[in-house]
């Protein structure tokens, strides 16, 4: 294995691979930073360009776009309160708060370092224990997926701010949105009202763009028209300090490991991982009340968690031929196009390609960190653009991003509707994050609950018969209990 890794590193630094890897990571960061243009879309767009390439450079470029795209979403999330990708939605909670205090450079550097740590850990785990982790992931069936989704949904209480009732209301709205479209089991239309565009359900990307990008644009427009004179904010150029690094390191390492594990479970993507890791960091923090108010641990947990998925999602893909998320599904197509068959035989028949990819992932994470830190001075200038110019640009990019998903004007309407909803909810102090979280996890919970009930002929015994499912249910109960206890403590402290 070490011989192949050394050979792979030599390949990664060769003139035929390194430039391709660099432009892949850079292109991924740029695509990820644009609202609606996800890492999945970036990899899919570049897939046709790999048809005439050798297997290693082709796969390396696509994986570079993947790694860069997941980090890139945090740039717009932190600077503009507009997540470039669903995976960066959790980064808004603390990242934008830091930026609004004039600490944009610090927030971006923390996100870059945490992303690097999460991605590096994920790659190391991928190299070391890929087959074993894949075997664990194979034990997941419908009951385990349902229990995982329930555990994820308990995070709604954690990201509800000071009023849990309003957070639960937002989460309920998100779950109701999930029911629109064809029934996942019987294919019966639900709440479609004869509109063909609703038969496929409501896409999460237009909702994400509306709730975060357009609603924030409306908030800023209101401020522009209500104030006589607007001044571009000023930001310091200080990056994270040694004290910050020491503070976030344990959280980033733990979240990287959690992200890798979650990523190895087919169907559980970077967006779910980011929120799960954020919630765990908040639960175990010494000062959980700081989360959502500019906590560097919260930002580090979200970024390390979503980048931890990059290596984890390749575990089932390379060892079993089962894609872990949407991006790895596109990578599966790339492998097939190159004449490679994912699975155990790939390691024995094409070890030079496998370990070339592994080594290139190590280099890609390093390139991502370098580009992130060097680019901070340029990224921060986006914020210093006057709002009267910046806001129309955000609206334009948001509309283009919403349209680009399915080339559909209907999706633009969805984004505008949720933008208005997010604007009104902001006035009522109703958080938007629970809506997005419920839309992401709702279908996973419903589909797998009904599959589980079919498997067990209507019995709910799967909740305690299956150890992994039971473990997630126990974690869900513990998560709710610890959140309620923390909220109660905060109220008592406020009275003193």
């Amino acid at each position: 294995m070490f011989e192949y890794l050394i050979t792979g590193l030599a390949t990664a630094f060769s003139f035929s691979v390194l430039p391709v890897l660099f432009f892949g990571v850079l292109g991924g960061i740029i695509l990820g930073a644009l609202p609606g243009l996800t890492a999945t879309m970036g990899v899919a767009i570049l897939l046709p360009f790999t048809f005439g390439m050798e297997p290693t450079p082709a796969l390396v470029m696509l994986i570079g776009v993947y790694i860069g795209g997941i980090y890139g979403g945090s740039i717009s999330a932190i600077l503009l309160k507009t997540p470039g990708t669903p995976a960066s939605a959790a980064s808004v909670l603390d990242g934008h708060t830091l930026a609004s205090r004039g600490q944009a450079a610090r927030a971006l550097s923390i996100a870059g370092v945490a992303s690097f740590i999460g991605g590096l850990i994920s790659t190391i785990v991928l190299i070391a224990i890929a087959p074993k982790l894949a075997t664990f992931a194979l034990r997941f069936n419908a009951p385990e997926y349902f229990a995982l989704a329930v555990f994820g949904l308990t995070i709604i209480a954690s990201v509800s701010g000071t009023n849990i009732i309003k957070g639960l209301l937002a989460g309920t709205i998100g779950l109701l949105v999930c029911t629109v479209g064809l029934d996942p089991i019987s294919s019966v239309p639900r709440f479609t009202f004869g509109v063909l565009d609703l038969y496929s359900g409501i896409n999460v990307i237009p909702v994400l763009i509306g709730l975060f990008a357009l609603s924030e644009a409306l908030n800023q427009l209101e401020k522009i028209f209500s104030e006589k004179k607007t001044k571009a904010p000023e930001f310091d150029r200080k990056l994270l300090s040694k004290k910050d690094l020491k503070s976030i390191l344990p959280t980033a390492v733990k979240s990287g490991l959690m992200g890798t594990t979650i990523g190895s479970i087919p169907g559980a993507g970077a967006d779910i991982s980011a929120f799960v890791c954020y919630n765990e960091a908040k639960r175990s923090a010494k000062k959980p009340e700081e989360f959502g108010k500019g906590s560097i641990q919260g930002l580090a947990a979200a970024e390390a968690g979503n980048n931890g998925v990059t290596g984890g999602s390749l575990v089932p893909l390379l060892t079993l031929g089962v894609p872990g998320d949407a991006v790895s599904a596109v990578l599966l197509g790339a492998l097939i196009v190159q004449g490679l068959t994912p699975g155990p035989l790939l390691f024995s028949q094409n070890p030079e390609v496998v370990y070339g990819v592994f080594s290139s992932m190590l280099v890609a994470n390093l390139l991502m960190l370098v580009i992130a830190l060097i680019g901070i001075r340029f990224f921060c200038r986006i914020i210093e653009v006057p709002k009267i110019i910046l806001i129309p640009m955000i609206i334009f990019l948001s509309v283009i991003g919403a349209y680009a998903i399915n080339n559909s004007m209907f999706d633009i309407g969805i984004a505008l509707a949720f933008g208005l909803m997010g604007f009104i909810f902001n006035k009522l102090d109703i958080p938007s994050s629970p809506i997005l979280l419920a839309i992401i996890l709702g279908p996973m919970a419903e589909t797998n609950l009904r599959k589980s009930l079919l498997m067990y002929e209507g019995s709910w015994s799967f909740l305690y018969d299956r150890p992994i499912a039971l473990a997630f249910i126990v974690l869900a109960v513990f998560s709710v209990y610890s959140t309620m206890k923390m909220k109660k403590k905060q109220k008592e402290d406020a009275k003193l």
Side-chain angles (χ1 to χ4, degrees):
M1 184 179 76
F2 289 108
E3 290 178 4
Y4 285 126
L5 277 176
I6 293 169
T7 306
L9 283 170
T11 302
F13 283 105
S14 66
F15 288 110
S16 62
V17 173
L18 188 59
V20 171
L21 183 58
F22 173 80
F23 285 111
V25 174
L26 180 62
I29 291 174
I30 294 170
L31 283 169
L34 297 174
L37 301 183
T38 63
T40 307
M41 186 180 292
V43 173
I45 289 170
L46 290 178
L47 179 61
F49 294 95
T50 66
F51 292 168
M53 298 172 66
E54 291 294 319
T56 303
L59 294 171
V60 161
M61 182 177 72
L62 296 179
I63 288 172
V65 173
Y66 182 20
I67 291 172
I70 297 294
Y71 163 72
S74 68
I75 297 172
S76 52
I78 291 168
L79 296 179
L80 306 173
K81 199 181 178 182
T82 306
T85 63
S88 299
S91 301
V92 172
L93 301 173
D94 292 290
H96 183 69
T97 306
L98 286 169
S100 63
R101 293 178 189 168
Q103 300 176 27
R106 182 187 179 210
L108 286 170
S109 60
I110 288 170
V113 170
S115 296
F116 169 72
I117 293 171
L120 184 65
I121 289 172
S122 184
T123 305
I124 292 171
V125 171
L126 173 66
I127 295 169
I129 58 169
K132 293 181 181 179
L133 209 54
T135 303
F136 170 74
L138 269 181
R139 298 174 65 184
F140 273 66
N141 209 321
E144 285 75 22
Y145 283 118
F146 168 69
L148 174 62
V150 170
F151 173 56
L153 286 168
T154 62
I155 301 168
I156 287 174
S158 182
V159 297
S160 295
T162 54
N163 194 321
I164 291 183
I165 300 299
K166 289 183 177 179
L168 292 175
L169 171 64
T172 303
I173 291 171
L175 290 174
L176 288 173
V177 170
C178 295
T179 62
V180 175
L182 295 178
D183 183 287
I185 303 298
S186 62
S187 296
V188 174
R190 303 184 303 191
F191 307 112
T192 56
F193 306 105
V195 180
L196 290 177
D197 289 297
L198 288 176
Y199 274 65
S200 58
I202 294 177
N203 194 296
V204 69
I205 301 296
V207 174
L208 168 73
I209 289 171
L211 285 176
F212 290 96
L214 293 177
S215 66
E216 180 63 16
L218 290 173
N219 285 328
Q220 295 299 330
L221 279 175
E222 184 186 36
K223 290 179 182 178
I224 289 172
F225 290 115
S226 63
E227 296 172 2
K228 292 182 179 179
K229 188 177 180 181
T230 58
K231 183 181 178 182
E234 296 180 358
F235 293 93
D236 61 46
R237 304 296 180 187
K238 293 179 181 177
L239 304 182
L240 81 167
S241 62
K242 289 183 179 179
K243 183 180 178 182
D244 290 337
L245 181 59
K246 186 178 179 181
S247 176
I248 68 169
L249 191 58
T251 300
V253 171
K254 181 171 71 173
S255 297
L257 290 169
M258 288 178 64
T260 304
T261 305
I262 293 170
S264 70
I265 301 167
D271 43 5
I272 295 173
S273 176
F275 278 108
V276 169
C277 292
Y278 181 86
N279 186 60
E280 170 54 27
K282 184 176 182 179
R283 186 197 63 77
S284 59
K286 293 181 180 178
K287 296 180 180 179
E289 66 278 0
E290 293 182 358
F291 279 63
K293 300 176 182 177
S295 168
I296 61 173
Q297 284 90 358
L299 176 59
E303 284 300 305
N306 61 33
N307 279 269
V309 170
T310 54
S313 64
L314 297 183
V315 171
L317 173 65
L318 296 177
T319 57
L320 304 170
V322 178
D325 60 6
V327 180
S328 55
V330 180
L331 290 174
L332 174 62
L335 284 165
I336 294 170
V337 166
Q338 294 294 336
L340 303 172
T341 305
L345 293 178
L346 184 65
F347 286 79
S348 58
Q349 294 178 352
N350 304 97
E352 71 287 349
V353 175
V354 173
Y355 287 96
V357 168
F358 287 170
S359 301
S360 297
M361 287 183 71
L362 294 171
V363 179
N365 279 289
L366 183 60
L367 286 173
M368 181 265 291
L369 176 63
V370 172
I371 294 170
L373 295 179
I374 292 175
I376 284 173
R377 61 192 299 183
F378 303 104
F379 300 150
C380 287
R381 288 181 181 175
I382 296 172
I383 281 295
E384 294 176 345
V385 175
K387 288 182 181 178
I388 197 69
I389 298 173
L390 185 63
I391 299 305
M393 291 173 62
I394 292 173
I395 294 173
F396 175 74
L397 287 172
S398 298
V399 170
I400 294 298
Y403 177 80
I405 303 302
N406 297 311
N407 295 330
S408 168
M409 292 297 293
F410 183 80
D411 283 344
I412 295 178
I414 293 293
L416 292 173
F418 277 91
L420 183 60
M421 178 191 290
F423 176 72
I424 295 170
F425 278 16
N426 185 58
K427 299 292 181 186
L428 300 173
D429 290 325
I430 298 175
S432 298
S433 296
I435 300 176
L436 181 65
L437 190 62
I439 291 173
I440 292 170
L441 291 171
M444 180 178 175
E446 182 197 4
T447 303
N448 288 291
L449 170 62
R450 295 178 63 186
K451 284 181 179 178
S452 300
L453 290 172
L454 287 172
M455 286 169 60
Y456 281 76
E457 299 179 347
S459 172
W460 290 79
S461 60
F462 62 86
L463 292 175
Y464 52 84
D465 275 353
R466 302 175 74 100
I468 297 175
L470 179 61
F472 276 122
I473 294 298
V474 170
L475 285 172
V477 172
F478 181 72
S479 176
V480 172
Y481 170 75
S482 60
T483 301
M484 297 296 289
K485 187 177 179 181
M486 183 185 66
K487 298 286 184 185
K488 185 179 179 181
K489 186 176 182 297
Q490 288 176 356
K491 286 184 179 180
E492 290 175 352
D493 291 342
K495 291 178 182 179
L496 295 177

